[in-house]
Amino acid sequence: MFDFPAFCHINEYQNRGYRNLRQMLLLSEPLTLWAPSSVLLGESNVAVDDILWLLDSGRIRIVGRERWLTSESFRNAHPFGPSARWVPRIDDEIKRLLDEDKSRPPRERRVIEAPPEDGYEWADSHMDQHREAIRRLYEVYRRTPRQIPGGTMDTIARNLTKRTIAHSEVAIVVKTMLRDARNHGMAFKISDADIAMHLSRVDLGFMQILADQAGVPSLVRPRGEVQSIAAPMGELALQTIEVLRRLDEFAGGRAPDLRRFLDGSGRADLLKWMRRTCDSLKLIAPAELDGAVLHHLRHQLEHEKFHDSILAAWRRSRLDAAAGVMGAVTSIADAAFGAPSLWAAGGFGAIVFSGTRTILRNLGYIPADFDGPQWPFLYALGAKTTRRRRDRLLQFLKLLGKG
């Protein structure tokens, strides 16, 4: 299977994160989730039976603090409320996998216990070393709070009420912003992923603010790549998630069988396509990537070639006739000048069938070899590309671009 490891701090997005779980799984191999809510997993767009199968097979990996992963009493009393509640069917399995995998190398573990957090301590040190960044980050909070993710804003509000991590408002705000950046970055590092699935452009923008204004390294570090490409890759992943959601509409709301698609050729084609798309567009600034994935897919579907000429079909027909050129000629002669033998009828029938097949391909009724991506058709329709299917999908995607 083509490898495309991804990470998502899914609780940051609350219900929206779990509504997009299926789409994130389609784009990730594996998908690592930070301390997910088992209550919301049970309400997501992936069936619980499939979630358990994905956990056992390592296609979903879990990272979290020890008490979150192992303590039912801690979870049931958690300040997050009912969504943090322990769900035996899911959490007992997560706990079992944690114990079972402790002897495995980190990259092979399905459930990973993260070390105790050091975000506030790290933030103190970073603020001491980057005094000029304190004013800049506080100005972001004061002037443009919408540029800060909702989860971080909620934590800032709680810390301002308690006033336990610092005395001044400026220190509390900046320390909380840096703490969240550190914790998210460390969670991503532990996941050993190539890309973080950000379901909000606010998150992508905040990541850039931290890098530009405070010298905080990118929260996503694609393996072997420079940090500056993290935001473009995150934007492309976000756009592809939206395209997948729209393909569900194209399919008439019929989501594909998840297990079958994940194990099929369409999934491998999707991951390869995603990797190539990121590679080809990764150096473009995020602000210039609006609609890039949709445009890229439309362009490929419109300009890549089908391969099924009459000449190619005639050559196939001679092979299909089993007796080569002489058999084909003999069968035609027998059919034209006398009562054809069974052998001749078979040869002639093979030619007729092959030629008919080519006509049907050229008219777009049956699949033909196609240089472009197959995954949209295998995902949405459960079938390979034909010209008619390609034309239908192109029309649908063009209408999306106008919306």
Side-chain angles (χ1 to χ4, degrees):
M1 180 63 69
F2 203 86
D3 192 42
F4 197 79
F7 169 81
C8 185
H9 204 294
I10 192 168
N11 287 333
E12 288 291 307
Y13 308 104
Q14 300 178 4
N15 289 331
R16 182 184 179 190
Y18 295 90
R19 286 197 306 269
N20 284 284
L21 180 58
R22 170 185 286 271
Q23 285 74 29
M24 288 192 288
L25 282 165
L26 294 172
L27 293 179
S28 311
E29 186 69 27
L31 174 64
T32 301
L33 302 177
W34 173 263
S37 158
S38 295
V39 172
L40 296 180
L41 280 175
E43 299 171 357
S44 73
N45 61 357
V46 179
V48 172
D49 284 345
D50 286 337
I51 288 171
L52 297 175
W53 172 74
L54 291 160
L55 282 168
D56 187 64
S57 61
R59 283 179 150 133
I60 289 180
R61 300 170 75 228
I62 305 293
V63 180
R65 311 284 181 206
E66 187 269 339
R67 285 198 297 172
W68 182 271
L69 298 174
T70 64
S71 175
E72 183 173 353
S73 60
F74 170 78
R75 289 273 293 281
N76 290 341
H78 200 280
F80 285 173
S83 65
R85 194 175 69 247
W86 186 274
V87 178
R89 188 180 178 197
I90 297 174
D91 288 300
D92 288 352
E93 177 66 5
I94 290 173
K95 186 177 179 180
R96 183 188 71 80
L97 293 174
L98 173 66
D99 293 336
E100 187 176 297
D101 288 359
K102 283 182 177 178
S103 61
R104 292 186 175 190
R107 288 202 71 188
E108 296 179 12
R109 295 176 190 172
R110 293 161 292 184
V111 181
I112 303 170
E113 180 182 319
E117 87 162 78
D118 64 352
Y120 287 121
E121 293 81 0
W122 181 87
D124 276 333
S125 174
H126 194 82
M127 289 166 69
D128 287 342
Q129 298 173 34
H130 299 83
R131 304 299 299 178
E132 73 286 353
I134 297 175
R135 176 186 57 81
R136 293 200 295 265
L137 286 181
Y138 182 70
E139 283 299 299
V140 172
Y141 166 79
R142 192 173 68 86
R143 294 180 180 276
T144 56
R146 290 185 178 180
Q147 291 185 292
I148 302 173
T152 299
M153 287 295 290
D154 290 343
T155 306
I156 289 172
R158 288 195 298 270
N159 286 341
L160 286 173
T161 299
K162 296 177 181 178
R163 301 223 169 221
T164 55
I165 65 168
H167 296 295
S168 71
E169 177 175 298
V170 173
I172 290 171
V173 168
V174 175
K175 188 173 180 178
T176 304
M177 291 168 71
L178 291 173
R179 174 258 186 184
D180 275 14
R182 167 70 173 182
N183 287 349
H184 289 195
M186 290 306 294
F188 177 78
K189 182 178 180 181
I190 293 168
S191 77
D192 199 28
D194 280 359
I195 188 171
M197 292 290 181
H198 294 290
L199 301 181
S200 166
R201 289 186 173 84
V202 172
D203 287 2
L204 293 168
F206 185 59
M207 179 175 65
Q208 198 63 50
I209 288 169
L210 290 167
D212 294 343
Q213 304 298 329
V216 177
S218 168
L219 303 188
V220 241
R221 300 173 297 97
R223 191 175 296 140
E225 302 283 3
V226 295
Q227 291 178 350
S228 62
I229 73 169
M233 289 182 72
E235 171 65 24
L236 294 172
L238 180 60
Q239 290 185 28
T240 307
I241 287 171
E242 179 58 27
V243 168
L244 286 166
R245 291 183 63 84
R246 293 307 189 100
L247 285 176
D248 287 341
E249 297 176 19
F250 177 71
R254 178 199 59 80
D257 182 277
L258 186 63
R259 300 191 194 194
R260 183 178 300 172
F261 185 78
L262 289 178
D263 286 332
S265 61
R267 174 52 169 355
D269 188 51
L270 170 58
L271 292 183
K272 189 179 295 185
W273 181 88
M274 182 65 185
R275 176 73 74 177
R276 288 175 176 172
T277 300
C278 286
D279 284 345
S280 65
L281 300 174
K282 65 188 177 186
L283 298 181
I284 300 175
E288 299 175 7
L289 284 173
D290 187 34
V293 169
L294 182 59
H295 175 79
H296 185 62
L297 179 59
R298 283 202 321 246
H299 184 272
Q300 287 184 315
L301 294 177
E302 192 163 12
H303 295 286
E304 294 291 354
K305 295 180 179 179
F306 284 91
H307 296 285
D308 204 306
S309 67
I310 296 294
L311 177 60
W314 175 260
R315 288 171 177 164
R316 277 198 304 273
S317 73
R318 291 186 298 170
L319 295 175
D320 292 341
V325 175
M326 185 57 68
V329 171
T330 302
S331 65
I332 292 173
D334 281 354
F337 299 108
S341 65
L342 290 176
W343 178 85
F348 184 69
I351 295 175
V352 172
F353 173 75
S354 184
T356 303
R357 179 176 59 188
T358 300
I359 293 170
L360 291 173
R361 278 201 180 94
N362 289 333
L363 291 175
Y365 287 100
I366 61 176
D369 293 336
F370 179 55
D371 288 342
Q374 288 279 358
W375 66 264
F377 305 94
L378 294 170
Y379 175 73
L381 303 175
K384 290 185 176 181
T385 317
T386 66
R387 285 175 172 81
R388 294 173 71 85
R389 289 171 187 151
R390 190 273 309 271
D391 292 345
R392 281 177 51 211
L393 181 56
L394 263 177
Q395 182 180 18
F396 176 80
L397 295 177
K398 287 177 179 178
L399 289 174
L400 290 183
K402 296 176 181 178

